[in-house]
Amino acid sequence: MPLILMCGYPCSGKTRRANELKEYFTQNTERKVHIVGDEGQGIDKNSVYADSQKEKNLRGALRAEVERKVSKDDIVILDSLNYIKGYRYELFCLIKHTQTPHCLVYCLTSTDVSSEWNKGREADSQYTQEILDALVLRFEAPDSRNRWDSPLFTFQQEDSLPFEAICDALFKRKAPPPNQSTQSQPLSSTNFLYELDKVTQDVLMAVLESQKTSVPGDLVSIPGATEKISFILACLAYLYLNMVELRKLRRQFISYTKMHPTENIGQIANMFVQYLNKSMH
């Protein structure tokens, strides 16, 4: 069921508002409410938000957890900064694919207020001033004119949450229709899924095996493919690809290929290798 995106500066009251929403929906509906957020990831916020790759991994983990929890019966609240316009668009594409409504709850505060609230936290929960200032500078405010930021509910610290309006947006509004790119297409042959699964798994294992002997700069040959893996890209992108990253890329490729099946099954290996090389740039 619906996805609620919290959005705002660090220390702008997002978690408090997320808990208010959970309490309201628990008391007034029979639906389960899941809060997904940074706190549940067991991270050191200052370390993560100082490192672009760690932050990217965090966003990926949050998105994956949202995807697992979104269902026909439950409400999911994503309690994170959600400050990047492109990331909010990714989540919008996710809810289009699952055909469920969503809304954005924007906790609007000034930089000074967020800074003061940050100082009032326990020491191990505080952002450093440097990280807080950097996140504020990078913040891309939501805009209700963008379909991925709409419906948008904006309020300040002294405002009460508009519970009824949020309910109407989630339960009385149709989910955004899926576009062609998010709808599954008929598979081109009964053997397609089997070959897609088998070939991508073989490529994945070949990449892992090659890392035992390859060095940066090598072009790694993959059985069944004329394309080669650029091992220098693998090193630069992931400091050696691990199983978790490879499986994630494989799942993404399989999802995409199911929607855009090829008639030439023999090209699956080459397509997957090209996808890996592109993803590692």
mmCIF file of all heavy atoms in Angstrom, residues 238-269:
data_model
loop_
_atom_site.group_PDB
_atom_site.id
_atom_site.type_symbol
_atom_site.label_atom_id
_atom_site.label_comp_id
_atom_site.label_asym_id
_atom_site.label_seq_id
_atom_site.Cartn_x
_atom_site.Cartn_y
_atom_site.Cartn_z
ATOM 1 N N TYR A 238 34.297 -0.462 -7.184
ATOM 2 C CA TYR A 238 33.933 -1.166 -5.958
ATOM 3 C C TYR A 238 35.129 -1.638 -5.127
ATOM 4 O O TYR A 238 34.942 -2.288 -4.107
ATOM 5 C CB TYR A 238 33.089 -2.397 -6.304
ATOM 6 C CG TYR A 238 31.789 -2.055 -6.980
ATOM 7 C CD1 TYR A 238 31.560 -2.421 -8.294
ATOM 8 C CD2 TYR A 238 30.813 -1.346 -6.306
ATOM 9 C CE1 TYR A 238 30.366 -2.095 -8.927
ATOM 10 C CE2 TYR A 238 29.627 -1.014 -6.929
ATOM 11 C CZ TYR A 238 29.406 -1.394 -8.230
ATOM 12 O OH TYR A 238 28.236 -1.076 -8.855
ATOM 13 N N LEU A 239 36.339 -1.321 -5.556
ATOM 14 C CA LEU A 239 37.521 -1.867 -4.904
ATOM 15 C C LEU A 239 37.366 -3.391 -4.816
ATOM 16 O O LEU A 239 37.428 -3.985 -3.742
ATOM 17 C CB LEU A 239 37.725 -1.240 -3.516
ATOM 18 C CG LEU A 239 37.990 0.265 -3.535
ATOM 19 C CD1 LEU A 239 38.150 0.784 -2.119
ATOM 20 C CD2 LEU A 239 39.196 0.604 -4.364
ATOM 21 N N TYR A 240 37.126 -3.964 -5.967
ATOM 22 C CA TYR A 240 36.844 -5.370 -6.188
ATOM 23 C C TYR A 240 35.365 -5.634 -5.895
ATOM 24 O O TYR A 240 34.891 -5.456 -4.785
ATOM 25 C CB TYR A 240 37.730 -6.302 -5.363
ATOM 26 C CG TYR A 240 39.153 -6.307 -5.841
ATOM 27 C CD1 TYR A 240 40.019 -5.281 -5.485
ATOM 28 C CD2 TYR A 240 39.612 -7.315 -6.671
ATOM 29 C CE1 TYR A 240 41.319 -5.267 -5.931
ATOM 30 C CE2 TYR A 240 40.912 -7.315 -7.121
ATOM 31 C CZ TYR A 240 41.767 -6.282 -6.752
ATOM 32 O OH TYR A 240 43.045 -6.275 -7.206
ATOM 33 N N LEU A 241 34.684 -6.066 -6.931
ATOM 34 C CA LEU A 241 33.270 -6.374 -6.821
ATOM 35 C C LEU A 241 33.057 -7.522 -5.836
ATOM 36 O O LEU A 241 33.747 -8.526 -5.892
ATOM 37 C CB LEU A 241 32.723 -6.792 -8.186
ATOM 38 C CG LEU A 241 32.529 -5.663 -9.205
ATOM 39 C CD1 LEU A 241 32.337 -6.246 -10.583
ATOM 40 C CD2 LEU A 241 31.351 -4.823 -8.820
ATOM 41 N N ASN A 242 32.101 -7.377 -4.943
ATOM 42 C CA ASN A 242 31.777 -8.473 -4.047
ATOM 43 C C ASN A 242 30.458 -9.094 -4.472
ATOM 44 O O ASN A 242 29.759 -8.604 -5.347
ATOM 45 C CB ASN A 242 31.725 -7.998 -2.594
ATOM 46 C CG ASN A 242 30.743 -6.859 -2.399
ATOM 47 O OD1 ASN A 242 29.619 -6.911 -2.894
ATOM 48 N ND2 ASN A 242 31.152 -5.825 -1.682
ATOM 49 N N MET A 243 30.125 -10.196 -3.844
ATOM 50 C CA MET A 243 28.936 -10.937 -4.226
ATOM 51 C C MET A 243 27.665 -10.107 -4.073
ATOM 52 O O MET A 243 26.748 -10.191 -4.896
ATOM 53 C CB MET A 243 28.838 -12.212 -3.391
ATOM 54 C CG MET A 243 27.629 -13.071 -3.707
ATOM 55 S SD MET A 243 27.621 -13.690 -5.412
ATOM 56 C CE MET A 243 28.712 -15.089 -5.243
ATOM 57 N N VAL A 244 27.603 -9.285 -3.021
ATOM 58 C CA VAL A 244 26.404 -8.480 -2.789
ATOM 59 C C VAL A 244 26.171 -7.515 -3.945
ATOM 60 O O VAL A 244 25.055 -7.399 -4.467
ATOM 61 C CB VAL A 244 26.515 -7.709 -1.453
ATOM 62 C CG1 VAL A 244 25.335 -6.755 -1.286
ATOM 63 C CG2 VAL A 244 26.565 -8.677 -0.287
ATOM 64 N N GLU A 245 27.231 -6.813 -4.368
ATOM 65 C CA GLU A 245 27.103 -5.849 -5.456
ATOM 66 C C GLU A 245 26.744 -6.542 -6.768
ATOM 67 O O GLU A 245 25.900 -6.073 -7.532
ATOM 68 C CB GLU A 245 28.406 -5.061 -5.625
ATOM 69 C CG GLU A 245 28.752 -4.157 -4.464
ATOM 70 C CD GLU A 245 27.827 -2.956 -4.368
ATOM 71 O OE1 GLU A 245 26.993 -2.770 -5.279
ATOM 72 O OE2 GLU A 245 27.920 -2.228 -3.381
ATOM 73 N N LEU A 246 27.395 -7.681 -7.033
ATOM 74 C CA LEU A 246 27.114 -8.401 -8.269
ATOM 75 C C LEU A 246 25.678 -8.916 -8.319
ATOM 76 O O LEU A 246 25.010 -8.840 -9.342
ATOM 77 C CB LEU A 246 28.095 -9.562 -8.428
ATOM 78 C CG LEU A 246 29.492 -9.184 -8.933
ATOM 79 C CD1 LEU A 246 30.426 -10.373 -8.827
ATOM 80 C CD2 LEU A 246 29.437 -8.691 -10.367
ATOM 81 N N ARG A 247 25.216 -9.434 -7.208
ATOM 82 C CA ARG A 247 23.835 -9.929 -7.173
ATOM 83 C C ARG A 247 22.838 -8.797 -7.368
ATOM 84 O O ARG A 247 21.803 -8.971 -8.021
ATOM 85 C CB ARG A 247 23.568 -10.643 -5.845
ATOM 86 C CG ARG A 247 24.165 -12.047 -5.787
ATOM 87 C CD ARG A 247 23.954 -12.671 -4.432
ATOM 88 N NE ARG A 247 24.410 -14.053 -4.412
ATOM 89 C CZ ARG A 247 24.597 -14.748 -3.305
ATOM 90 N NH1 ARG A 247 24.386 -14.192 -2.118
ATOM 91 N NH2 ARG A 247 25.002 -16.012 -3.353
ATOM 92 N N LYS A 248 23.159 -7.650 -6.795
ATOM 93 C CA LYS A 248 22.279 -6.489 -6.966
ATOM 94 C C LYS A 248 22.208 -6.095 -8.444
ATOM 95 O O LYS A 248 21.112 -5.877 -8.990
ATOM 96 C CB LYS A 248 22.799 -5.318 -6.129
ATOM 97 C CG LYS A 248 22.016 -4.024 -6.300
ATOM 98 C CD LYS A 248 22.639 -2.924 -5.474
ATOM 99 C CE LYS A 248 21.955 -1.584 -5.717
ATOM 100 N NZ LYS A 248 22.600 -0.485 -4.969
ATOM 101 N N LEU A 249 23.366 -6.010 -9.108
ATOM 102 C CA LEU A 249 23.384 -5.657 -10.523
ATOM 103 C C LEU A 249 22.681 -6.722 -11.368
ATOM 104 O O LEU A 249 21.986 -6.410 -12.339
ATOM 105 C CB LEU A 249 24.829 -5.472 -10.997
ATOM 106 C CG LEU A 249 25.563 -4.241 -10.440
ATOM 107 C CD1 LEU A 249 27.031 -4.282 -10.829
ATOM 108 C CD2 LEU A 249 24.918 -2.957 -10.925
ATOM 109 N N ARG A 250 22.856 -7.973 -10.988
ATOM 110 C CA ARG A 250 22.200 -9.056 -11.731
ATOM 111 C C ARG A 250 20.680 -8.948 -11.614
ATOM 112 O O ARG A 250 19.956 -9.105 -12.610
ATOM 113 C CB ARG A 250 22.685 -10.409 -11.199
ATOM 114 C CG ARG A 250 22.012 -11.618 -11.849
ATOM 115 C CD ARG A 250 22.678 -12.912 -11.394
ATOM 116 N NE ARG A 250 21.980 -14.078 -11.924
ATOM 117 C CZ ARG A 250 21.110 -14.810 -11.246
ATOM 118 N NH1 ARG A 250 20.821 -14.491 -9.974
ATOM 119 N NH2 ARG A 250 20.522 -15.854 -11.794
ATOM 120 N N ARG A 251 20.180 -8.674 -10.408
ATOM 121 C CA ARG A 251 18.733 -8.527 -10.225
ATOM 122 C C ARG A 251 18.193 -7.373 -11.066
ATOM 123 O O ARG A 251 17.127 -7.478 -11.679
ATOM 124 C CB ARG A 251 18.405 -8.301 -8.743
ATOM 125 C CG ARG A 251 18.522 -9.527 -7.869
ATOM 126 C CD ARG A 251 17.822 -9.311 -6.544
ATOM 127 N NE ARG A 251 18.346 -8.168 -5.821
ATOM 128 C CZ ARG A 251 19.343 -8.226 -4.949
ATOM 129 N NH1 ARG A 251 19.946 -9.385 -4.707
ATOM 130 N NH2 ARG A 251 19.755 -7.139 -4.314
ATOM 131 N N GLN A 252 18.935 -6.266 -11.077
ATOM 132 C CA GLN A 252 18.498 -5.110 -11.859
ATOM 133 C C GLN A 252 18.451 -5.445 -13.350
ATOM 134 O O GLN A 252 17.506 -5.081 -14.056
ATOM 135 C CB GLN A 252 19.441 -3.930 -11.606
ATOM 136 C CG GLN A 252 19.355 -3.362 -10.199
ATOM 137 C CD GLN A 252 20.436 -2.333 -9.920
ATOM 138 O OE1 GLN A 252 21.387 -2.186 -10.681
ATOM 139 N NE2 GLN A 252 20.308 -1.624 -8.807
ATOM 140 N N PHE A 253 19.490 -6.149 -13.814
ATOM 141 C CA PHE A 253 19.537 -6.515 -15.232
ATOM 142 C C PHE A 253 18.402 -7.464 -15.593
ATOM 143 O O PHE A 253 17.746 -7.304 -16.632
ATOM 144 C CB PHE A 253 20.889 -7.167 -15.556
ATOM 145 C CG PHE A 253 20.996 -7.674 -16.959
ATOM 146 C CD1 PHE A 253 21.249 -6.807 -18.013
ATOM 147 C CD2 PHE A 253 20.835 -9.031 -17.244
ATOM 148 C CE1 PHE A 253 21.336 -7.273 -19.326
ATOM 149 C CE2 PHE A 253 20.922 -9.502 -18.548
ATOM 150 C CZ PHE A 253 21.170 -8.618 -19.579
ATOM 151 N N ILE A 254 18.142 -8.442 -14.735
ATOM 152 C CA ILE A 254 17.067 -9.403 -15.001
ATOM 153 C C ILE A 254 15.722 -8.685 -15.047
ATOM 154 O O ILE A 254 14.889 -8.943 -15.930
ATOM 155 C CB ILE A 254 17.070 -10.534 -13.950
ATOM 156 C CG1 ILE A 254 18.267 -11.468 -14.186
ATOM 157 C CG2 ILE A 254 15.770 -11.319 -13.983
ATOM 158 C CD1 ILE A 254 18.436 -12.549 -13.141
ATOM 159 N N SER A 255 15.489 -7.780 -14.117
ATOM 160 C CA SER A 255 14.224 -7.035 -14.099
ATOM 161 C C SER A 255 14.049 -6.240 -15.389
ATOM 162 O O SER A 255 12.965 -6.242 -15.992
ATOM 163 C CB SER A 255 14.177 -6.094 -12.891
ATOM 164 O OG SER A 255 14.166 -6.817 -11.688
ATOM 165 N N TYR A 256 15.109 -5.571 -15.798
ATOM 166 C CA TYR A 256 15.035 -4.772 -17.029
ATOM 167 C C TYR A 256 14.799 -5.674 -18.244
ATOM 168 O O TYR A 256 13.972 -5.371 -19.111
ATOM 169 C CB TYR A 256 16.323 -3.977 -17.219
ATOM 170 C CG TYR A 256 16.364 -3.203 -18.519
ATOM 171 C CD1 TYR A 256 15.765 -1.950 -18.619
ATOM 172 C CD2 TYR A 256 16.967 -3.739 -19.652
ATOM 173 C CE1 TYR A 256 15.771 -1.246 -19.813
ATOM 174 C CE2 TYR A 256 16.981 -3.051 -20.847
ATOM 175 C CZ TYR A 256 16.385 -1.794 -20.927
ATOM 176 O OH TYR A 256 16.391 -1.121 -22.107
ATOM 177 N N THR A 257 15.515 -6.796 -18.313
ATOM 178 C CA THR A 257 15.439 -7.657 -19.493
ATOM 179 C C THR A 257 14.098 -8.372 -19.585
ATOM 180 O O THR A 257 13.614 -8.666 -20.681
ATOM 181 C CB THR A 257 16.598 -8.676 -19.470
ATOM 182 O OG1 THR A 257 17.833 -7.987 -19.261
ATOM 183 C CG2 THR A 257 16.686 -9.432 -20.785
ATOM 184 N N LYS A 258 13.480 -8.655 -18.448
ATOM 185 C CA LYS A 258 12.132 -9.230 -18.479
ATOM 186 C C LYS A 258 11.148 -8.268 -19.143
ATOM 187 O O LYS A 258 10.210 -8.683 -19.826
ATOM 188 C CB LYS A 258 11.651 -9.538 -17.055
ATOM 189 C CG LYS A 258 12.252 -10.786 -16.447
ATOM 190 C CD LYS A 258 11.708 -10.977 -15.035
ATOM 191 C CE LYS A 258 12.295 -12.197 -14.368
ATOM 192 N NZ LYS A 258 11.797 -12.344 -12.974
ATOM 193 N N MET A 259 11.364 -6.975 -18.903
ATOM 194 C CA MET A 259 10.476 -5.971 -19.485
ATOM 195 C C MET A 259 10.784 -5.727 -20.968
ATOM 196 O O MET A 259 9.924 -5.284 -21.725
ATOM 197 C CB MET A 259 10.611 -4.651 -18.719
ATOM 198 C CG MET A 259 10.222 -4.734 -17.260
ATOM 199 S SD MET A 259 10.615 -3.182 -16.404
ATOM 200 C CE MET A 259 10.510 -3.717 -14.693
ATOM 201 N N HIS A 260 12.053 -5.992 -21.349
ATOM 202 C CA HIS A 260 12.474 -5.758 -22.743
ATOM 203 C C HIS A 260 13.168 -7.020 -23.260
ATOM 204 O O HIS A 260 14.369 -7.018 -23.520
ATOM 205 C CB HIS A 260 13.426 -4.557 -22.825
ATOM 206 C CG HIS A 260 12.873 -3.304 -22.232
ATOM 207 N ND1 HIS A 260 12.933 -3.029 -20.881
ATOM 208 C CD2 HIS A 260 12.230 -2.261 -22.796
ATOM 209 C CE1 HIS A 260 12.366 -1.859 -20.652
ATOM 210 N NE2 HIS A 260 11.926 -1.376 -21.786
ATOM 211 N N PRO A 261 12.423 -8.115 -23.394
ATOM 212 C CA PRO A 261 13.036 -9.387 -23.792
ATOM 213 C C PRO A 261 13.622 -9.320 -25.193
ATOM 214 O O PRO A 261 13.119 -8.623 -26.069
ATOM 215 C CB PRO A 261 11.867 -10.381 -23.723
ATOM 216 C CG PRO A 261 10.635 -9.547 -23.845
ATOM 217 C CD PRO A 261 10.964 -8.234 -23.197
ATOM 218 N N THR A 262 14.709 -10.050 -25.376
ATOM 219 C CA THR A 262 15.345 -10.114 -26.689
ATOM 220 C C THR A 262 14.991 -11.427 -27.367
ATOM 221 O O THR A 262 14.812 -12.453 -26.704
ATOM 222 C CB THR A 262 16.875 -10.001 -26.558
ATOM 223 O OG1 THR A 262 17.468 -10.173 -27.845
ATOM 224 C CG2 THR A 262 17.448 -11.066 -25.617
ATOM 225 N N GLU A 263 14.875 -11.403 -28.675
ATOM 226 C CA GLU A 263 14.610 -12.628 -29.426
ATOM 227 C C GLU A 263 15.870 -13.472 -29.553
ATOM 228 O O GLU A 263 15.804 -14.677 -29.775
ATOM 229 C CB GLU A 263 14.081 -12.273 -30.822
ATOM 230 C CG GLU A 263 12.719 -11.591 -30.828
ATOM 231 C CD GLU A 263 11.599 -12.507 -30.352
ATOM 232 O OE1 GLU A 263 11.766 -13.742 -30.437
ATOM 233 O OE2 GLU A 263 10.571 -11.988 -29.883
ATOM 234 N N ASN A 264 17.033 -12.837 -29.400
ATOM 235 C CA ASN A 264 18.306 -13.535 -29.583
ATOM 236 C C ASN A 264 18.876 -13.910 -28.217
ATOM 237 O O ASN A 264 19.613 -13.138 -27.597
ATOM 238 C CB ASN A 264 19.280 -12.642 -30.357
ATOM 239 C CG ASN A 264 20.531 -13.401 -30.766
ATOM 240 O OD1 ASN A 264 20.773 -14.519 -30.315
ATOM 241 N ND2 ASN A 264 21.333 -12.782 -31.617
ATOM 242 N N ILE A 265 18.527 -15.085 -27.744
ATOM 243 C CA ILE A 265 18.975 -15.533 -26.417
ATOM 244 C C ILE A 265 20.500 -15.608 -26.351
ATOM 245 O O ILE A 265 21.096 -15.387 -25.298
ATOM 246 C CB ILE A 265 18.341 -16.897 -26.077
ATOM 247 C CG1 ILE A 265 16.828 -16.726 -25.888
ATOM 248 C CG2 ILE A 265 18.962 -17.506 -24.833
ATOM 249 C CD1 ILE A 265 16.080 -18.021 -25.598
ATOM 250 N N GLY A 266 21.134 -15.874 -27.478
ATOM 251 C CA GLY A 266 22.591 -15.969 -27.496
ATOM 252 C C GLY A 266 23.297 -14.669 -27.165
ATOM 253 O O GLY A 266 24.506 -14.665 -26.897
ATOM 254 N N GLN A 267 22.569 -13.539 -27.170
ATOM 255 C CA GLN A 267 23.171 -12.243 -26.865
ATOM 256 C C GLN A 267 23.057 -11.851 -25.399
ATOM 257 O O GLN A 267 23.532 -10.792 -24.996
ATOM 258 C CB GLN A 267 22.523 -11.156 -27.726
ATOM 259 C CG GLN A 267 22.973 -11.169 -29.174
ATOM 260 C CD GLN A 267 24.479 -10.911 -29.283
ATOM 261 O OE1 GLN A 267 25.003 -9.971 -28.701
ATOM 262 N NE2 GLN A 267 25.166 -11.763 -30.037
ATOM 263 N N ILE A 268 22.408 -12.687 -24.583
ATOM 264 C CA ILE A 268 22.188 -12.326 -23.174
ATOM 265 C C ILE A 268 23.512 -12.083 -22.447
ATOM 266 O O ILE A 268 23.662 -11.113 -21.699
ATOM 267 C CB ILE A 268 21.368 -13.417 -22.448
ATOM 268 C CG1 ILE A 268 19.939 -13.434 -22.983
ATOM 269 C CG2 ILE A 268 21.367 -13.164 -20.937
ATOM 270 C CD1 ILE A 268 19.073 -14.540 -22.396
ATOM 271 N N ALA A 269 24.507 -12.968 -22.670
ATOM 272 C CA ALA A 269 25.794 -12.821 -21.982
ATOM 273 C C ALA A 269 26.452 -11.491 -22.342
ATOM 274 O O ALA A 269 26.944 -10.765 -21.463
ATOM 275 C CB ALA A 269 26.718 -13.984 -22.326
#
